[in-house]
Amino acid sequence: MAQPTLIAAICVLTLSHVVQATTFTIVNKCDYVVWPGILSNAGVPTLAATGFTLQRGETKTITAPTSWGGRFWGRTHCSHDSDGKFSCLTGECGSVKLECSGNGAAPPATLAEFTLDGAGGLDFFDVSLVDGYNIPMLSGSSGWQRSKL
């Protein structure tokens, strides 16, 4: 069964969905540093990373459980203040640190939303502007494969 891959100017998410896990490979395709944030949906396990830095052209792979659901977004113009508190101009998650730790994005933030192994065992994904727009992002499909035993 062909599966979707999220392709974005900020990132390219390549998903490899096998029985035990899915991997998201995030690549910063912007001409500037981006600080991705991650929020898991209620009732699903949180991921090990909930925020990190991606330099221009840098890649990070995130592993998620088979039935994971949540969102990714890009934070921009981030820095630490003199007290060490981390904040961003767009996509701010309010945790005052690099990790979002269960906090979602404050508008404006372009969102990539995923539900893996959802209704009928299908995977669902979209790019949403419901919380505004702060980075270019688009989705398409390109050969992620899913195997069920």
Side-chain angles (χ1 to χ4, degrees):
M1 171 185 212
Q3 298 295 319
T5 296
L6 178 74
I7 301 170
I10 169 186
C11 59
V12 177
L13 294 176
T14 305
L15 296 96
S16 175
H17 194 50
V18 187
V19 176
Q20 280 78 16
T22 298
T23 58
F24 295 90
T25 301
I26 305 169
V27 179
N28 181 358
K29 295 262 188 175
C30 294
D31 290 336
Y32 45 87
V33 178
V34 175
W35 292 262
I38 303 170
L39 177 64
S40 296
N41 291 343
V44 299
T46 59
L47 302 184
T50 61
F52 50 93
T53 304
L54 278 182
Q55 299 294 324
R56 180 180 175 194
E58 189 175 11
T59 300
K60 179 159 179 84
T61 300
I62 304 290
T63 301
T66 304
S67 297
W68 183 79
R71 55 183 52 181
F72 298 89
W73 69 94
R75 297 174 288 170
T76 64
H77 306 287
C78 301
S79 63
H80 287 92
D81 69 12
S82 60
D83 294 328
K85 293 180 181 175
F86 184 80
S87 64
C88 303
L89 187 60
T90 70
E92 171 63 49
C93 64
S95 69
V96 303
K97 50 190 175 173
L98 181 62
E99 295 277 340
C100 287
S101 304
N103 295 323
T110 308
L111 306 173
E113 302 172 314
F114 294 87
T115 299
L116 305 177
D117 199 23
L122 299 175
D123 299 326
F124 300 90
F125 73 100
D126 65 74
V127 173
S128 174
L129 302 180
V130 70
D131 285 344
Y133 172 88
N134 71 329
I135 56 165
M137 193 180 296
L138 58 99
S139 63
S141 63
S142 133
W144 79 311
Q145 298 176 10
R146 180 176 181 184
S147 301
K148 283 193 173 187
L149 299 176

